[in-house]
Amino acid sequence: MPAFDNMPDMELYQPVQIDDALALAARLADRGWLVGGGQDTYGWIKDRNKRPDALIDLNGIESLRGIREIADGIEIGALTTLTEVATNPIVRERYSLLSKAASVVASPQIRNAGTLAGNVAQDVRCWYYRRGLDCYRAGGNLCYADTPEAQNREHAIFNASRCVAVTPSDTGPALVALEAQMVITSQRGQRVVPADRFFVGPDVDIENTTVLRDGEILTAVRIPAKWAGAEFYYEKVADRNVWDFALVSIAGAMRIEGGNIVASSIVCGAVQCTPRRLSSVERAIQGRPRNEATATMVAGMASQGARPLNQNAFKMPLMDNLVTKLLTA
Amino acid sequence: MNPRLTRRRFIKSVIFSGAALSSGAGFYLASAQSRQAGAVERLVSLNINGRTRRVDVMPQETLAHTLRYKLGLTGTKIGCNRGECGSCTVTIDDVTHYSCSTLTHSVKGKEVVTIEGLRSESGALHPVQQAFIDELSPQCGFCTPGQIMSTVALLKTNPRPTREEARQALSGNLCRCGAYDHYLNGVMRASGQLS
Ligand SMILES: Cc1cc2nc3c(=O)[nH]c(=O)nc-3n(C[C@H](O)[C@H](O)[C@H](O)COP(=O)(O)OP(=O)(O)OC[C@H]3O[C@@H](n4cnc5c(N)ncnc54)[C@H](O)[C@@H]3O)c2cc1C
Ligand code: SF4
Ligand code: FES
Ligand code: FES
């Protein structure tokens, strides 16, 4: 064998019908692992830090791909690649917030393979956890990122509960801002969960970042017409432009009538375990113009209540500054 | 269902490892006639550089592994083996992918092109290869096959990219020698925008 790391022996299933995939997911339960683009998956398995017995490759299921119009907005098949989401004309025209978010994930090659489902269902990037340490999230009883010496520059400033990891998904904040509906299918049927309830923090479930359970497959994401063609602002701040996760990101949708913001939906990524809706800012800017004066009025509001760790207090002014940019862009 | 269809669907839909087959349970049992039938599925036909290659592929095998260690196509490099460098870039149906992060079983029925597949029948280099030589793009050369594959894919969809578009298209290919500008010069030359 060559001297580089291969993946350990596993079964591989490549269903072409969604019913077959659901049956496999139900039968294999926690022994199985769904694969979209595999871009989050293979690292875990190569490192031996997650070790499913079987992979269920969903890529052969054509019905899970593509973007179509529905009565209220659009429906994006869960297996649609991030490149398709970023370049699709309908998404770009009506929901450029989402196409922008998808276009800054990782690198071109990862976006060519990575799927929308995989992007929202990916696990946290806390390196202690990724290293295979038995922290809270891995079923243990301590957090390596929340100690005096810990390297926690990238970690949470809000809503930590034992675990201080943040949501790594770039599309997550855009989907929450657009009030997307996540269509989850299992052999028992279908449930549709709003994006803001799809993501869960460690206070609710410390071992899962979403409400997805064994046997369930995210089959589609619906974007309601509510925010179609609204004014959008998206920005991701990271150390590097490519391959890097957000330090803080912001996704905002605003409706402006008669020169004033009549409705808005503003969400930050990478500040807590789930995309964080900035409800206080949304309320404060309601009925005011999108300008410098309004930005000054809400200065500091976004980061109110933050509880930074040793190395991540910089995320507070970063959040506030992103809100300023959103209002003055 | 028509038996041929069933068979086809079985081939497309499942690769049994020995363990899964012998477990006997499960809905695929009806189509999985025998252990041999399952075992055969490891032997797949791949379309690599325009040729059909028969190869025995493990379920969990990555395309980079198959290319380098089973097909001898060592032009595709493995740098990080985890999607973080781009040296393993190949095109699958004209789209760039990291072969270290692609299951070989997922490219059945698709056209894979590696750096070895670029030169013409006569042995002449691909215009992108020639342009990169003319512009002295590579330094150590380790990242070069990946940079070339990304450029070839770019020029297929955008024959005259701006330098910024080229920068974006090659942004998933690290160069630890830092020869980025030289590669961009190569892209501009290959697209006929440098004389
Ligand atoms: C070097 C590198 C850099 C990265 N940078 C970024 C970044 O900047 N921003 C970012 O957002 N992400 C980043 N990622 C993370 C990730 O790879 C991508 O976000 C990608 O979108 C994941 O999608 P996938 O389809 O490849 O996921 P997969 O690996 O296929 O799946 C990820 C998870 O989702 C589950 N899953 C997949 N499909 C479904 C489904 N239909 N239903 C239910 N569960 C499902 C899988 O079981 C798995 O647990 C990076 C990854 C790497 C390796
Ligand atoms: S932040 Fe969460 S994932 Fe990281 S070490 Fe602490 S408990 Fe584990
Ligand atoms: S070896 Fe595949 S991206 Fe580095
Ligand atoms: S030329 Fe040496 S890594 Fe790019």
Side-chain angles (χ1 to χ4, degrees):
Chain A
M1 283 298 282
F4 70 87
D5 196 7
N6 247 306
M7 286 189 270
D9 201 21
M10 278 176 295
E11 298 162 29
L12 172 65
Y13 297 89
Q14 296 186 302
V16 291
Q17 304 290 343
I18 182 66
D19 288 346
D20 295 345
L22 292 169
L24 277 165
R27 175 160 70 80
L28 293 164
D30 65 350
R31 294 180 48 242
W33 180 296
L34 300 171
V35 179
Q39 304 302 296
D40 187 34
T41 297
Y42 305 139
W44 277 120
I45 299 174
K46 286 175 181 171
D47 292 343
R48 309 295 192 271
N49 290 333
K50 301 263 176 173
R51 182 79 208 262
D53 292 341
L55 298 179
I56 307 170
D57 175 2
L58 302 173
N59 280 285
I61 309 174
E62 279 306 317
S63 62
L64 292 183
R65 281 188 193 287
I67 296 166
R68 53 202 160 260
E69 307 222 27
I70 52 173
D72 177 27
I74 60 168
E75 182 171 274
I76 305 177
L79 265 276
T80 307
T81 66
L82 294 166
T83 298
E84 288 168 72
V85 173
T87 56
N88 177 274
I90 301 178
V91 181
R92 286 178 70 150
E93 191 198 307
R94 293 182 216 163
Y95 306 101
S96 59
L97 186 66
L98 179 61
S99 54
K100 180 76 201 297
S103 74
V104 297
V105 173
S107 73
Q109 288 92 326
I110 289 180
R111 295 192 292 275
N112 288 342
T115 64
L116 188 58
N119 193 257
V120 293
Q122 64 175 305
D123 211 337
V124 300
R125 298 304 291 198
C126 171
W127 40 78
Y128 298 102
Y129 172 57
R130 290 258 165 184
R131 253 302 163 90
L133 295 176
D134 60 341
C135 65
Y136 283 126
R137 187 167 287 279
N141 57 8
L142 89 156
C143 172
Y144 294 87
D146 192 11
T147 68
E149 307 79 31
Q151 295 299 312
N152 50 28
R153 184 171 164 269
E154 277 81 357
H155 288 75
I157 56 173
F158 286 102
N159 288 336
S161 166
R162 294 163 294 156
C163 175
V164 297
V166 295
T167 172
S169 168
D170 288 328
T171 60
L175 293 175
V176 172
L178 293 170
E179 298 179 53
Q181 300 281 330
M182 317 300 274
V183 182
I184 299 171
T185 311
S186 72
Q187 276 194 315
R188 292 184 310 276
Q190 204 170 72
R191 58 184 180 129
V192 180
V193 180
D196 65 345
R197 283 201 270 125
F198 175 78
F199 297 99
V200 292
D203 50 335
V204 176
D205 183 342
I206 203 161
E207 291 183 14
N208 294 288
T209 55
T210 71
V211 296
L212 288 167
R213 288 296 166 269
D214 289 337
E216 291 186 321
I217 295 179
L218 180 65
T219 45
V221 175
R222 294 184 188 140
I223 319 280
K226 179 172 177 191
W227 293 105
E231 290 200 16
F232 297 124
Y233 186 82
Y234 183 88
E235 185 167 348
K236 166 182 174 178
V237 178
D239 292 319
R240 299 189 293 173
N241 285 331
V242 183
W243 272 300
D244 208 358
F245 292 88
L247 291 167
V248 177
S249 65
I250 194 163
M254 287 154 281
R255 286 278 180 208
I256 300 193
E257 278 168 26
N260 291 326
I261 299 167
V262 292
S264 67
S265 174
I266 306 173
V267 181
C268 270
V271 295
Q272 62 182 32
C273 192
T274 59
R276 178 178 178 83
R277 188 122 185 217
L278 306 183
S279 311
S280 58
V281 175
E282 290 171 9
R283 276 193 301 274
I285 63 176
Q286 174 95 14
R288 296 179 182 272
R290 184 182 179 191
N291 66 13
E292 190 89 45
T294 303
T296 309
M297 188 197 78
V298 300
M301 196 178 269
S303 65
Q304 250 166 38
R307 297 188 49 166
L309 305 165
N310 277 352
Q311 300 182 354
N312 65 4
F314 75 95
K315 287 193 177 190
M316 296 173 62
L318 193 47
M319 273 181 91
D320 293 327
N321 290 343
L322 284 173
V323 170
T324 301
K325 286 182 83 174
L326 169 138
L327 287 170
T328 55
Chain B
M1 203 190 275
N2 155 339
R4 279 192 57 213
L5 260 185
T6 313
R7 170 75 186 151
R8 204 179 114 86
R9 179 165 156 219
F10 168 60
I11 291 173
K12 278 186 73 177
S13 64
V14 61
I15 301 141
F16 278 100
S17 77
L21 248 191
S22 57
S23 77
F27 62 92
Y28 281 126
L29 195 63
S31 29
Q33 304 287 329
S34 67
R35 196 168 231 285
Q36 284 83 343
V40 167
E41 304 311 332
R42 274 184 56 149
L43 244 196
V44 295
S45 288
L46 302 177
N47 179 342
I48 315 273
N49 296 332
R51 286 177 54 200
T52 302
R53 306 283 299 255
R54 291 285 286 168
V55 47
D56 179 2
V57 179
M58 296 177 289
Q60 76 278 17
E61 191 166 315
T62 65
L63 183 56
H65 181 96
T66 311
L67 291 171
R68 288 181 57 84
Y69 304 109
K70 294 197 172 161
L71 299 174
L73 296 170
T74 52
T76 299
K77 303 302 178 201
I78 295 179
C80 65
N81 198 30
R82 51 192 310 128
E84 292 176 10
C85 76
S87 65
C88 64
T89 302
V90 299
T91 61
I92 301 171
D93 288 348
D94 289 335
V95 175
T96 54
H97 286 268
Y98 294 143
S99 60
C100 73
S101 303
T102 303
L103 289 183
T104 306
H105 278 282
S106 71
V107 305
K108 288 170 292 189
K110 300 187 175 170
E111 285 178 27
V112 179
V113 178
T114 71
I115 189 75
E116 290 90 345
L118 293 183
R119 57 171 196 187
S120 67
E121 297 278 287
S122 68
L125 292 179
H126 187 280
V128 172
Q129 291 176 303
Q130 190 58 53
F132 277 31
I133 291 173
D134 294 343
E135 286 300 323
L136 299 177
S137 302
Q139 201 165 120
C140 77
F142 191 84
C143 70
T144 310
Q147 307 279 4
I148 291 178
M149 296 316 295
S150 288
T151 305
V152 169
L154 167 68
L155 298 187
K156 278 223 163 113
T157 54
N158 184 356
R160 288 179 72 81
T162 63
R163 210 173 167 89
E164 182 52 33
E165 286 168 342
R167 202 187 296 279
Q168 289 292 332
L170 269 60
S171 66
N173 293 81
L174 274 191
C175 174
R176 287 297 79 174
C177 299
Y180 298 106
D181 268 332
H182 303 265
Y183 283 116
L184 292 177
N185 293 343
V187 180
M188 298 321 270
R189 177 170 293 277
S191 56
Q193 303 182 86
L194 279 188
S195 48

